[in-house]
């Protein structure tokens, strides 16, 4: 044997940075780089090592040895001739003359084939005492590290390895690496197969993250093949520690237990819910908390208290707040800026706070916090008095590694984002296991969980299964959670914690805690601990949450407009929540005819204007608003019904499902403003609706709310809601009447004969949505293997929601010289300016194949020719100033379509 073993002649990386003096990096060294990164993650994240030990049911030292050794084998396929293909520059000298007859094939499949054909028999017993076949789920996880899993079918290594020399080199390296890193087999616990299948989801994510780090030449520059494995391992471990630290992946120490005053507010007293959160016993294992209380009861603060206590007890390392919409995610991100300091010890180390949704990179405050991947930048700003945000802790910094890649954003210490980012973890999307890995150590908070359709409800149940199986904790928050859905969420969690991974259709029909029709208390806090024991705690209502909001039904829109005009003249803060964007714009136009200039807020704004309008709405109607600032009329859609802390003197709602009506009512007289509301204002919810009838016409909605059925197609649900709101002296009684009101609508299936066909159609659609979701979601018990799924999709192609297809339109200004520029003029960075000029519209209104007018095509082409390929198909609409707004035209298969836009009103078709 030569001084330098043959296996060091095999190239693992051959794309050097510009300042590199070497052209390639040995595959053996890269394998050790990645193994060292896993080892460094264990050192820097004590919760990660504890999670591994719990998942594998091994002592921590054994779990560390097993994981890092298996990870080291992840690129063993790079010793195959099929990896080199026809690239002579990669050909190892020990294989003799270059042979250009090899077709390049995936090195991941080559590695798996070598394991099955050779390494399992020669090395399996050195890793696990027992049957080496029991490592199969973990092997698939290790070799499926490029974003999708491998099939579990046996493939002959000769398909990839053409010579004995390449096989011998791979085997020699693997043997020496196992001897170096493992130092004896681990003893498998009983029922190892189920353990390995469950752990495979976590391990696949760990390998991907370690591979990203270990492939970065900033920390692992190419190294000449001069060191033996033991010497290089020592070097790689030092580099890996640096990589984990500088990438922002080291866990900052959690804060020790704090009092309510220290954690939430120095002068406020906790509500009964918050007091429960401060004192409820915690098991220290993965736990589920279901918190049901009225809107504005302080559920966010209660969840924050639970997060703090779980972190202080080392049961979690951070939190992810999963919100229904981008607007609610933005609002939660702002709140976490103010609360995050209480979760961690002030050691001067970086704490990563990440906003995670499709437009996160366009959010100004998040952009401001992503300054650099070194905490020194933010600390320097803080020392000069120039903090990132007036209310934000000075130690917040987002590592560029996290901020630039949404797949990794769930690794941040605290995240706030749309639920979609978490749901992609349980769908066959690329690198879904990175999301699962990151979430496993977090407390997953599902806010406004009642807000989702059947498709997303099924996804949420599967997400709870996976999170429970991987040892995480979760908090579910809702003001209006139907009993049946609540029970199905709990059963999904229990299924995951037992490791069974039963399909959600098998658990949603049944609950061991069925009440046989007995109504659950409300407010209610439910805990399912790590031993599967469930405790329900009825809560006292906060005194200020006890109220009765009378419901006034209005059946004529003209009458309603007169009421709004009168309230506006009294100086009241008024909101009218409409069910569709078109209805919102029509209502605003009606009010202008009465010399009332309303503020308009809906989803059909360019991103720049939507962000500005969101802040304007919060300033005008949020907790800090006072006096004449509040004397405005807001006409909005559902964008304001959840999570935004808004308070109105008068609130009108179009008829909607009862739980949403209750949510909307929570924005009426939300804050205590004793003596500060305009004279004449009343705490009364006004609902625009058809008149109630026991036997309505089939088109009963069309006279007053013709567009509502396009959003809420379950007419039976709407009819039962109206039935309850039409009772004599109808009122929303909080909290005592909330549960019964919701159940009288959702647990009842009564529907008039005239509406039965439409109701059955809506029910069939709902069941179809649930069935579609069950076809898409992954199954825990399958393990990380592609045998059960035909495709593993890009995360931008797989649907987390079943909604109307959206067409992305980018608005442009048509300049005098015939060129075009982005709608937003306040942004100098071109890509960001165009992204901030986007509007998303239903594909039913603007088809995706719409084209710009032919006379403007050349101007569009000059701008888009440098765009990434996936952006070139976006629809660009050049706009010209016209009649106080802006007008543009596009061509569809049905003819020309005119678009009108104004910054204060949004897009009108």
């Amino acid at each position: 044997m030569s001084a330098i073993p043959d296996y060091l002649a095999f190239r693992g990386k051959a794309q050097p940075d510009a300042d590199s003096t070497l052209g390639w990096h040995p595959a053996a060294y890269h394998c050790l780089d990645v193994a060292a990164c896993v080892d460094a993650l264990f050192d820097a994240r004590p919760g990660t090592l504890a999670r591994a030990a719990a998942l594998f049911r091994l002592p921590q030292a054994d779990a560390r040895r097993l994981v890092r050794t298996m990870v080291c084998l992840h690129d063993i396929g790079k010793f195959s001739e099929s990896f080199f293909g026809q690239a002579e520059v990669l050909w190892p000298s020990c294989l003799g003359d270059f042979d250009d007859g090899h077709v390049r094939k995936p090195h991941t499949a080559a590695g798996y084939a070598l394991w099955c054909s050779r390494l399992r028999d020669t090395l399996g017993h050195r890793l696990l005492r027992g049957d080496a076949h029991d490592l199969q789920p973990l092997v698939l996880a290790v070799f499926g590290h490029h974003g999708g899993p491998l099939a579990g079918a046996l493939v002959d290594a000769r398909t990839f390895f053409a010579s004995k020399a390449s096989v011998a080199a791979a085997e020699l390296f693997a043997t020496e690496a196992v001897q170096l890193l493992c130092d004896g087999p681990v003893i498998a616990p009983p029922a190892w197969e189920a353990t390995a299948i469950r752990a495979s989801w976590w391990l696949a994510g760990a390998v991907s993250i370690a591979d990203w780090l270990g492939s970065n030449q900033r920390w692992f520059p190419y190294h000449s093949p001069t060191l033996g494995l033991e010497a290089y391992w020592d070097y790689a471990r030092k580099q890996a520690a640096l990589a984990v630290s500088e990438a922002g992946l080291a866990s900052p120490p959690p804060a020790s237990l704090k009092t309510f005053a220290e954690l939430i507010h120095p002068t406020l007293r906790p509500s009964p819910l918050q007091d429960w959160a401060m004192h409820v016993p915690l098991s220290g294992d993965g736990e589920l908390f279901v918190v049901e209380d009225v809107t504005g009861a302080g559920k966010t603060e209660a969840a924050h208290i639970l997060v703090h206590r779980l972190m202080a007890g080392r049961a979690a390392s951070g939190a992810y707040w999963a919100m229904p919409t981008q607007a609610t995610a933005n609002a939660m991100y702002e709140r976490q800026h103010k609360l995050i300091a209480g979760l961690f010890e002030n050691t001067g180390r970086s704490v990563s706070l990440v906003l995670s949704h499709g437009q996160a990179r366009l959010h100004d405050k998040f952009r401001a916090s992503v300054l650099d991947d070194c905490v020194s930048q933010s600390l320097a700003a803080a020392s000069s008095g120039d903090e990132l945000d007036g209310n934000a802790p000075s130690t917040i910094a987002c590592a560029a590694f996290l901020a630039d890649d949404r797949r990794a954003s769930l690794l941040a210490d605290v995240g706030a984002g749309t639920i979609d980012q978490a749901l992609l973890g349980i769908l066959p999307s690329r690198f879904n296991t990175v999301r699962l890995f990151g979430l496993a150590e977090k407390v997953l908070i599902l806010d406004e969980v009642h807000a989702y359709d059947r498709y997303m409800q099924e996804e949420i149940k599967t997400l709870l299964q996976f999170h429970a199986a991987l040892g995480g904790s979760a908090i579910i928050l809702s003001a209006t959670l139907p009993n049946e859905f609540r029970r199905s969420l709990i059963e999904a969690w229990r299924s995951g914690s037992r490791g069974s991974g039963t399909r959600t259709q098998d658990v949603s029909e049944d609950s061991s805690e069925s009440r046989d029709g007995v109504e659950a208390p409300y407010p209610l806090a439910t805990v399912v601990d790590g031993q599967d024991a469930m405790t329900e705690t009825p809560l006292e209502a906060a005194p200020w949450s006890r109220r009765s909001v009378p419901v006034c039904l209005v059946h004529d829109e003209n009458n309603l407009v007169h009421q709004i005009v009168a309230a506006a003249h009294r100086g009241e803060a008024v909101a009218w929540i409409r069910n569709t964007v078109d209805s919102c714009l029509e209502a605003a136009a009606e009010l202008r005819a009465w010399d009332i200039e309303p503020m308009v807020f809906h989803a059909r704004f360019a991103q720049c204007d939507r962000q500005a309008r969101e802040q304007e709405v919060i300033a005008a109607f949020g907790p800090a608003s006072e006096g004449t600032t509040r004397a405005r009329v807001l006409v909005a859609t559902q964008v304001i019904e959840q999570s935004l802390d808004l308070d109105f003197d008068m609130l009108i709602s179009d008829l909607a499902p009862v739980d949403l009506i209750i949510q909307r009512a929570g924005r009426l007289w939300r804050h205590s403003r004793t003596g500060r509301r305009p004279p004449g204002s009343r705490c009364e919810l006004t609902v625009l609706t058809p008149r109630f009838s026991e036997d309505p016409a089939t088109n009963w909605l069309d006279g007053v709310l013709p567009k509502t059925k396009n959003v809420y197609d379950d007419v039976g649900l709407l009819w039962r809601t109206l039935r309850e709101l039409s009772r004599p002296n109808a009122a929303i009684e909080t909290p005592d009447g909330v549960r019964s009101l919701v159940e009288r609508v959702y647990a009842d299936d009564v529907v008039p004969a005239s509406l039965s066909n439409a109701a059955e159609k809506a029910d069939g659609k709902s069941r179809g949505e649930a069935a579609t979701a069950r076809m898409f979601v992954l199954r825990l018990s399958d393990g990380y293997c592609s045998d059960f799924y035909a495709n593993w999709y890009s995360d931008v192609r797989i649907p987390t929601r079943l909604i109307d297809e959206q067409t992305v339109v980018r608005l442009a200004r048509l300049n005098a010289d015939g060129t075009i520029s982005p709608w937003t003029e306040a942004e100098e960075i071109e890509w960001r300016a165009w992204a901030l000029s986007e509007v998303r519209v239903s594909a039913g209104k603007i088809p995706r194949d719409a084209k710009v007018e032919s006379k403007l095509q050349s101007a569009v082409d000059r701008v888009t020719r440098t765009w990434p390929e996936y952006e070139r198909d976006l629809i660009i609409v050049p706009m010209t100033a016209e009649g106080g707004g802006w007008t543009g035209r596009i061509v569809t298969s049905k003819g020309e379509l005119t678009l009108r836009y104004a910054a204060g009103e949004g897009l009108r078709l």
Side-chain angles (χ1 to χ4, degrees):
M1 179 177 175
S2 61
I4 302 299
D6 285 346
Y7 58 68
L8 289 182
F10 286 76
R11 279 74 162 162
K13 298 287 180 180
Q15 293 180 314
D17 287 345
D19 57 353
S20 177
T21 59
L22 299 174
W24 59 277
H25 189 58
Y29 287 175
H30 172 67
C31 287
L32 289 176
D33 294 338
V34 177
C37 286
V38 166
D39 222 33
L41 283 170
F42 286 154
D43 288 334
R45 302 169 67 93
T48 302
L49 181 56
R51 182 81 48 201
L55 283 172
F56 288 99
R57 295 191 294 140
L58 293 170
Q60 289 192 7
D62 286 353
R64 178 194 287 264
R65 290 191 296 117
L66 178 64
V67 170
R68 74 184 182 191
T69 308
M70 296 203 67
V71 167
C72 186
L73 301 178
H74 79 289
D75 267 358
I76 198 76
K78 289 185 174 179
F79 287 85
S80 68
E81 286 87 346
S82 65
F83 169 65
F84 308 129
Q86 298 177 352
E88 185 173 2
V89 68
L90 297 178
W91 192 258
S93 57
C94 64
L95 295 184
D97 294 336
F98 172 62
D99 180 356
D100 63 357
H102 301 285
V103 177
R104 184 152 191 171
K105 298 175 184 176
H107 68 274
T108 51
Y112 177 64
L114 183 65
W115 170 268
C116 294
S117 299
R118 311 274 300 203
L119 299 182
R120 180 171 56 205
D121 294 336
T122 59
L123 294 178
H125 67 282
R126 297 190 183 187
L127 293 169
L128 185 74
R129 185 172 298 172
D131 189 346
H133 287 79
D134 291 342
L135 289 169
Q136 177 75 352
L138 306 184
V139 170
L140 285 169
V142 166
F143 290 115
H145 62 273
H146 278 192
L150 302 177
L154 179 63
V155 180
D156 195 316
R158 288 174 294 185
T159 304
F160 305 91
F161 290 82
S163 68
K164 293 181 179 180
S166 59
V167 172
E171 284 193 290
L172 179 59
F173 164 69
T175 300
E176 293 189 8
V178 169
Q179 183 176 347
L180 173 66
L181 301 179
C182 194
D183 190 29
V186 302
I187 301 174
W192 169 260
E193 182 181 8
T195 295
I197 287 173
R198 179 174 60 176
S200 68
W201 297 101
W202 177 92
L203 180 59
V207 179
S208 291
I209 294 162
D211 191 38
W212 291 349
L213 290 172
S215 299
N216 193 314
Q217 293 178 59
R218 170 179 176 179
W219 302 302
F220 296 94
Y222 288 0
H223 200 292
S224 58
T226 55
L227 298 177
L229 292 192
E230 187 171 357
Y232 188 82
W233 172 245
D234 290 339
Y235 165 80
R237 291 191 66 191
K238 294 175 183 176
Q239 295 304 111
L242 186 65
V244 169
S245 175
E246 292 188 355
L249 293 176
S251 295
S256 56
L257 281 174
K258 297 178 180 291
T259 65
F260 180 86
E262 293 170 326
L263 188 66
I264 303 298
H265 197 280
T267 61
L268 296 179
R269 296 185 61 185
S271 69
L273 167 61
Q274 294 162 351
D275 187 67
W276 168 85
M278 288 292 299
H279 297 101
V280 61
L282 304 180
S283 70
D285 298 323
E287 296 178 83
L288 173 69
F289 305 86
V290 183
V291 177
E292 301 170 87
D293 206 342
V294 298
T295 299
K299 294 188 292 293
T300 298
E301 290 76 14
H304 185 75
I305 292 167
L306 291 172
V307 168
H308 163 63
R309 294 183 61 206
L310 289 165
M311 290 176 60
R314 300 303 195 269
S317 64
Y320 183 75
W321 293 79
M323 310 299 292
T325 65
Q326 290 185 14
T328 56
N330 291 345
M332 184 56 67
Y333 178 76
E334 308 267 351
R335 296 178 79 169
Q336 290 306 306
H337 256 293
K338 303 171 185 178
L339 293 171
I340 191 173
L343 297 179
F344 300 93
E345 291 291 351
N346 186 12
T347 63
R349 293 176 64 185
S350 172
V351 176
S352 53
L353 171 63
V354 168
L355 177 63
S356 180
H357 59 64
Q359 301 295 327
R361 63 180 183 164
L362 305 181
H363 186 277
D364 283 335
K365 187 169 288 186
F366 178 51
R367 184 186 177 212
S369 70
V370 186
L371 297 178
D372 196 271
D373 61 347
C374 298
V375 69
S376 58
Q377 306 302 103
S378 57
L379 291 176
S383 64
S384 65
D386 182 23
E387 292 196 354
L388 301 179
D389 177 80
N391 297 312
S394 61
T395 55
I396 294 175
C398 296
F401 176 82
L402 297 173
D404 289 348
D405 194 338
R406 277 181 289 148
R407 293 178 308 211
S409 64
L410 300 185
L411 294 169
D413 300 310
V414 177
T418 55
I419 193 172
D420 308 76
Q421 300 305 318
L423 292 177
L424 284 167
I426 53 88
L427 294 169
S429 65
R430 303 288 292 176
F431 294 103
N432 72 302
T433 55
V434 172
R435 300 175 190 271
L436 292 176
F437 175 91
L439 276 176
E441 295 174 33
K442 304 289 184 300
V443 183
L444 171 64
I445 304 103
L446 300 171
D447 202 2
E448 311 286 6
V449 78
H450 55 272
Y452 302 106
D453 60 20
R454 283 291 301 277
Y455 180 88
M456 296 190 73
Q457 287 178 13
E458 293 299 319
E459 291 180 307
I460 288 168
K461 287 186 279 187
T462 303
L463 177 62
L464 288 172
Q465 283 183 350
F466 271 79
H467 197 58
L470 297 183
S473 291
I475 302 171
I476 294 173
L477 305 177
S478 179
T480 51
L481 193 60
N483 277 331
E484 182 181 356
F485 185 35
R486 172 178 168 273
R487 288 195 297 267
S488 69
L489 292 172
I490 291 171
E491 282 305 305
W493 178 269
R494 285 176 152 175
S495 172
S497 64
R498 298 176 191 129
S500 59
T502 309
R503 281 289 195 198
T504 53
Q505 73 241 46
D506 298 330
V507 301
S508 61
E509 306 288 338
D510 177 57
S511 171
S512 59
E513 309 296 331
S514 175
R515 294 176 170 273
D516 298 321
V518 178
E519 201 170 89
Y522 185 91
L524 182 67
T526 304
V527 180
V528 182
D529 67 19
Q531 287 71 49
D532 206 26
M534 188 172 92
T535 305
E536 293 182 334
T537 304
L539 299 171
E540 289 292 326
W544 48 262
S545 74
R546 289 194 176 278
R547 66 174 188 166
S548 177
V549 179
V551 177
C552 174
L553 304 182
V554 176
H555 313 295
D556 179 80
E557 191 168 309
N558 290 328
N559 180 15
L560 181 60
V561 170
H562 291 160
Q563 292 184 35
I564 293 173
V565 171
H569 288 159
R570 292 193 298 267
E572 294 187 33
V574 182
W576 183 359
I577 303 178
R578 309 239 53 187
N579 290 335
T580 70
V581 174
D582 289 339
S583 297
C584 177
L585 294 173
E586 290 167 4
E590 290 182 47
L591 289 169
R592 290 190 190 98
W594 289 86
D595 292 327
I596 300 294
E597 185 57 47
M599 186 184 297
V600 176
F601 189 29
H602 53 72
R604 209 189 291 167
F605 279 91
Q607 277 292 325
C608 57
D609 297 326
R610 178 167 178 168
Q611 288 185 18
R613 180 48 48 95
E614 186 178 311
Q615 293 305 312
E616 290 170 6
V617 168
I618 293 172
F621 307 109
S625 61
E626 290 290 347
T628 56
T629 301
R630 295 174 47 78
R632 299 288 303 272
V633 175
L634 173 67
V635 184
T637 59
Q638 297 89 335
V639 293
I640 70 166
E641 79 184 12
Q642 295 163 353
S643 296
L644 296 181
D645 190 3
L646 306 176
D647 170 34
F648 300 96
D649 303 318
M650 179 182 186
L651 191 135
I652 306 101
S653 170
D654 289 355
L655 178 65
V658 66
D659 50 331
L660 303 184
I661 291 290
I662 295 172
Q663 284 290 125
R664 295 174 185 186
R667 273 67 193 155
L668 176 67
W669 285 43
R670 181 181 178 96
H671 302 142
S672 175
R673 297 179 183 273
T674 305
R676 293 180 293 148
R677 295 192 187 275
S681 64
R682 294 181 297 169
C683 184
E684 178 181 79
L685 176 67
T686 302
V687 179
L688 177 63
T689 174
R691 295 183 185 277
F692 178 72
S693 170
E694 294 285 355
D695 185 24
T698 55
N699 62 343
W700 70 299
L701 283 172
D702 292 350
V704 180
L705 300 170
K707 299 179 176 65
T708 286
K709 61 188 177 185
N710 298 330
V711 180
Y712 306 117
D713 59 356
D714 190 342
V715 292
L717 183 64
L718 291 174
W719 179 84
R720 291 192 297 275
T721 296
L722 182 56
R723 178 191 66 188
E724 298 305 316
L725 299 181
S726 299
R727 297 184 187 278
N729 302 315
I732 297 175
E733 305 279 351
T734 59
D736 299 336
V738 170
R739 179 84 74 193
S740 59
L741 179 56
V742 171
E743 290 305 307
R744 288 198 302 271
V745 173
Y746 275 93
D748 188 357
D749 59 0
V750 173
V751 64
S754 59
L755 303 180
S756 60
N757 286 341
E760 289 174 4
K761 182 178 179 181
D763 181 63
K765 178 184 175 185
S766 178
R767 291 177 181 272
E769 289 173 351
T772 300
R774 288 193 289 267
M775 286 189 340
F776 268 114
V777 296
L778 301 169
R779 188 163 58 188
L780 180 69
S781 59
D782 291 340
Y784 187 64
C785 176
S786 68
D787 286 353
F788 307 96
Y789 310 97
N791 295 293
W792 222 258
Y793 300 93
S794 162
D795 56 13
V796 299
R797 291 182 56 206
I798 193 162
T800 55
R801 305 178 186 232
L802 280 189
I803 58 175
D804 287 340
E805 279 194 86
Q806 300 283 297
T807 299
V808 178
V809 174
R810 285 186 168 177
L811 304 181
R813 296 175 188 265
L814 181 59
N815 304 315
D817 61 359
T819 62
I820 62 172
S821 54
W823 165 257
T824 180
E825 296 180 302
E827 175 58 54
E828 295 181 358
I829 302 174
E830 185 177 8
W831 71 262
R832 195 169 188 270
W834 281 110
L836 284 167
S837 301
E838 287 181 3
V839 184
R840 294 174 183 266
V841 185
S842 166
K845 294 183 178 295
I846 298 181
R848 290 187 169 183
D849 60 354
K851 304 293 183 184
V852 68
E853 294 178 280
S854 58
K855 64 182 180 181
L856 298 174
Q857 186 65 57
S858 60
V860 170
D861 290 342
R862 283 195 295 272
V863 168
T864 60
R865 65 189 175 199
T866 59
W867 288 6
E869 185 174 349
Y870 69 91
E871 291 187 337
R872 293 177 196 169
D873 292 333
L874 301 182
I875 300 171
I876 313 299
V877 184
M879 313 283 284
T880 56
E882 184 178 301
W886 292 75
T887 300
R889 292 170 180 82
I890 55 176
V891 180
T892 73
S893 59
K894 297 180 180 179
E896 189 176 86
L897 181 64
T898 299
L899 283 66
R900 305 189 189 282
Y901 190 84
E905 188 174 71
L907 187 68
R908 181 189 294 273
L909 308 178

